[in-house]
PDB file of all heavy atoms in Angstrom:
ATOM      1  N   ASN A1848    -137.069 225.894 259.445  1.00 93.00           N
ATOM      2  CA  ASN A1848    -138.190 226.163 258.520  1.00 93.00           C
ATOM      3  C   ASN A1848    -139.291 225.133 258.711  1.00 93.00           C
ATOM      4  O   ASN A1848    -140.470 225.472 258.755  1.00 93.00           O
ATOM      5  CB  ASN A1848    -137.714 226.102 257.074  1.00 93.00           C
ATOM      6  CG  ASN A1848    -137.211 227.450 256.585  1.00 93.00           C
ATOM      7  OD1 ASN A1848    -137.256 228.438 257.323  1.00 93.00           O
ATOM      8  ND2 ASN A1848    -136.719 227.483 255.352  1.00 93.00           N
ATOM      9  N   LYS A1851    -141.146 225.893 261.645  1.00 92.00           N
ATOM     10  CA  LYS A1851    -141.920 227.124 261.450  1.00 92.00           C
ATOM     11  C   LYS A1851    -143.209 226.861 260.704  1.00 92.00           C
ATOM     12  O   LYS A1851    -144.253 227.404 261.033  1.00 92.00           O
ATOM     13  CB  LYS A1851    -141.068 228.114 260.629  1.00 92.00           C
ATOM     14  CG  LYS A1851    -140.587 229.315 261.434  1.00 92.00           C
ATOM     15  CD  LYS A1851    -140.060 230.411 260.525  1.00 92.00           C
ATOM     16  CE  LYS A1851    -138.657 230.089 260.019  1.00 92.00           C
ATOM     17  NZ  LYS A1851    -138.161 231.154 259.125  1.00 92.00           N
ATOM     18  N   TYR A1852    -143.120 226.014 259.651  1.00 92.00           N
ATOM     19  CA  TYR A1852    -144.273 225.862 258.761  1.00 92.00           C
ATOM     20  C   TYR A1852    -145.027 224.559 258.997  1.00 92.00           C
ATOM     21  O   TYR A1852    -145.705 224.062 258.115  1.00 92.00           O
ATOM     22  CB  TYR A1852    -143.826 225.991 257.291  1.00 92.00           C
ATOM     23  CG  TYR A1852    -143.177 227.336 257.040  1.00 92.00           C
ATOM     24  CD1 TYR A1852    -141.811 227.454 256.824  1.00 92.00           C
ATOM     25  CD2 TYR A1852    -143.957 228.497 257.071  1.00 92.00           C
ATOM     26  CE1 TYR A1852    -141.219 228.688 256.628  1.00 92.00           C
ATOM     27  CE2 TYR A1852    -143.365 229.743 256.891  1.00 92.00           C
ATOM     28  CZ  TYR A1852    -141.991 229.826 256.666  1.00 92.00           C
ATOM     29  OH  TYR A1852    -141.415 231.061 256.481  1.00 92.00           O
ATOM     30  N   ASP A1875    -141.185 217.195 256.635  1.00 97.00           N
ATOM     31  CA  ASP A1875    -142.157 217.673 257.639  1.00 97.00           C
ATOM     32  C   ASP A1875    -143.570 217.344 257.193  1.00 97.00           C
ATOM     33  O   ASP A1875    -143.788 216.888 256.065  1.00 97.00           O
ATOM     34  CB  ASP A1875    -141.960 219.176 257.888  1.00 97.00           C
ATOM     35  CG  ASP A1875    -142.288 220.021 256.674  1.00 97.00           C
ATOM     36  OD1 ASP A1875    -143.361 219.815 256.076  1.00 97.00           O
ATOM     37  OD2 ASP A1875    -141.437 220.890 256.295  1.00 97.00           O
ATOM     38  N   ILE A1888    -138.775 229.849 246.187  1.00 90.00           N
ATOM     39  CA  ILE A1888    -138.505 229.919 247.635  1.00 90.00           C
ATOM     40  C   ILE A1888    -137.020 230.037 247.961  1.00 90.00           C
ATOM     41  O   ILE A1888    -136.664 230.436 249.065  1.00 90.00           O
ATOM     42  CB  ILE A1888    -139.115 228.706 248.401  1.00 90.00           C
ATOM     43  CG1 ILE A1888    -138.564 227.385 247.855  1.00 90.00           C
ATOM     44  CG2 ILE A1888    -140.625 228.729 248.342  1.00 90.00           C
ATOM     45  CD1 ILE A1888    -139.016 226.172 248.675  1.00 90.00           C
ATOM     46  N   GLN A1894    -140.951 235.258 250.018  1.00 70.00           N
ATOM     47  CA  GLN A1894    -141.752 234.478 250.950  1.00 70.00           C
ATOM     48  C   GLN A1894    -143.087 234.149 250.300  1.00 70.00           C
ATOM     49  O   GLN A1894    -143.630 234.959 249.555  1.00 70.00           O
ATOM     50  CB  GLN A1894    -141.987 235.271 252.235  1.00 70.00           C
ATOM     51  CG  GLN A1894    -140.681 235.539 252.979  1.00 70.00           C
ATOM     52  CD  GLN A1894    -140.875 236.378 254.215  1.00 70.00           C
ATOM     53  OE1 GLN A1894    -141.437 237.468 254.139  1.00 70.00           O
ATOM     54  NE2 GLN A1894    -140.412 235.892 255.343  1.00 70.00           N
ATOM     55  N   VAL A1895    -143.608 232.946 250.609  1.00 68.00           N
ATOM     56  CA  VAL A1895    -144.863 232.525 249.960  1.00 68.00           C
ATOM     57  C   VAL A1895    -146.001 233.463 250.346  1.00 68.00           C
ATOM     58  O   VAL A1895    -146.679 234.029 249.511  1.00 68.00           O
ATOM     59  CB  VAL A1895    -145.209 231.073 250.335  1.00 68.00           C
ATOM     60  CG1 VAL A1895    -146.626 230.721 249.870  1.00 68.00           C
ATOM     61  CG2 VAL A1895    -144.215 230.120 249.690  1.00 68.00           C
ATOM     62  N   THR A1900    -145.733 233.916 257.075  1.00 51.00           N
ATOM     63  CA  THR A1900    -144.309 233.972 257.385  1.00 51.00           C
ATOM     64  C   THR A1900    -144.040 235.013 258.461  1.00 51.00           C
ATOM     65  O   THR A1900    -143.173 234.822 259.300  1.00 51.00           O
ATOM     66  CB  THR A1900    -143.499 234.277 256.125  1.00 51.00           C
ATOM     67  OG1 THR A1900    -144.113 235.341 255.435  1.00 51.00           O
ATOM     68  CG2 THR A1900    -143.397 233.068 255.243  1.00 51.00           C
ATOM     69  N   GLY A1905    -140.379 234.804 259.714  1.00 66.00           N
ATOM     70  CA  GLY A1905    -139.350 234.581 258.676  1.00 66.00           C
ATOM     71  C   GLY A1905    -138.776 235.882 258.145  1.00 66.00           C
ATOM     72  O   GLY A1905    -139.320 236.964 258.380  1.00 66.00           O
ATOM     73  N   THR A1906    -137.629 235.761 257.452  1.00 71.00           N
ATOM     74  CA  THR A1906    -136.992 236.920 256.836  1.00 71.00           C
ATOM     75  C   THR A1906    -136.959 236.793 255.307  1.00 71.00           C
ATOM     76  O   THR A1906    -136.672 237.748 254.608  1.00 71.00           O
ATOM     77  CB  THR A1906    -135.542 237.038 257.303  1.00 71.00           C
ATOM     78  OG1 THR A1906    -134.853 235.856 256.898  1.00 71.00           O
ATOM     79  CG2 THR A1906    -135.447 237.228 258.783  1.00 71.00           C
ATOM     80  N   GLY A1907    -137.153 235.583 254.802  1.00 78.00           N
ATOM     81  CA  GLY A1907    -137.035 235.347 253.353  1.00 78.00           C
ATOM     82  C   GLY A1907    -135.593 235.167 252.918  1.00 78.00           C
ATOM     83  O   GLY A1907    -135.291 235.123 251.732  1.00 78.00           O
ATOM     84  N   LEU A1910    -133.514 230.251 253.083  1.00 92.00           N
ATOM     85  CA  LEU A1910    -133.238 229.275 252.018  1.00 92.00           C
ATOM     86  C   LEU A1910    -132.186 229.788 251.042  1.00 92.00           C
ATOM     87  O   LEU A1910    -131.419 228.989 250.485  1.00 92.00           O
ATOM     88  CB  LEU A1910    -134.522 228.913 251.269  1.00 92.00           C
ATOM     89  CG  LEU A1910    -135.469 227.948 252.006  1.00 92.00           C
ATOM     90  CD1 LEU A1910    -136.682 227.631 251.140  1.00 92.00           C
ATOM     91  CD2 LEU A1910    -134.757 226.650 252.385  1.00 92.00           C
TER      92      LEU A1910
HETATM   93  P1  ADP B 924    -138.258 232.535 255.766  1.00 53.05           P
HETATM   94  O1  ADP B 924    -137.311 233.228 256.611  1.00 53.05           O
HETATM   95  O2  ADP B 924    -139.426 233.319 255.318  1.00 53.05           O
HETATM   96  O3  ADP B 924    -138.588 231.184 256.230  1.00 53.05           O
HETATM   97  P2  ADP B 924    -136.847 231.137 253.773  1.00 53.05           P
HETATM   98  O4  ADP B 924    -135.912 231.581 252.678  1.00 53.05           O
HETATM   99  O5  ADP B 924    -136.300 230.213 254.743  1.00 53.05           O
HETATM  100  O6  ADP B 924    -137.460 232.411 254.429  1.00 53.05           O
HETATM  101  O7  ADP B 924    -138.063 230.463 253.073  1.00 53.05           O
HETATM  102  C1  ADP B 924    -138.688 231.111 251.980  1.00 53.05           C
HETATM  103  C2  ADP B 924    -140.170 230.708 251.939  1.00 53.05           C
HETATM  104  O8  ADP B 924    -140.275 229.336 251.616  1.00 53.05           O
HETATM  105  C3  ADP B 924    -140.837 230.788 253.253  1.00 53.05           C
HETATM  106  O9  ADP B 924    -141.323 232.107 253.463  1.00 53.05           O
HETATM  107  C4  ADP B 924    -141.937 229.803 253.156  1.00 53.05           C
HETATM  108  O10 ADP B 924    -143.061 230.365 252.553  1.00 53.05           O
HETATM  109  C5  ADP B 924    -141.388 228.751 252.302  1.00 53.05           C
HETATM  110  N1  ADP B 924    -140.905 227.592 253.044  1.00 53.05           N
HETATM  111  C6  ADP B 924    -139.630 227.329 253.417  1.00 53.05           C
HETATM  112  N2  ADP B 924    -139.551 226.140 254.086  1.00 53.05           N
HETATM  113  C7  ADP B 924    -140.801 225.640 254.113  1.00 53.05           C
HETATM  114  C8  ADP B 924    -141.378 224.445 254.673  1.00 53.05           C
HETATM  115  N3  ADP B 924    -140.656 223.519 255.298  1.00 53.05           N
HETATM  116  N4  ADP B 924    -142.718 224.268 254.525  1.00 53.05           N
HETATM  117  C9  ADP B 924    -143.454 225.190 253.874  1.00 53.05           C
HETATM  118  N5  ADP B 924    -142.976 226.330 253.354  1.00 53.05           N
HETATM  119  C10 ADP B 924    -141.663 226.570 253.478  1.00 53.05           C
END
Side-chain angles (χ1 to χ4, degrees):
N1848 271 358
K1851 250 194 282 179
Y1852 301 109
D1875 66 48
I1888 58 174
Q1894 296 177 305
V1895 170
T1900 46
T1906 61
L1910 284 182

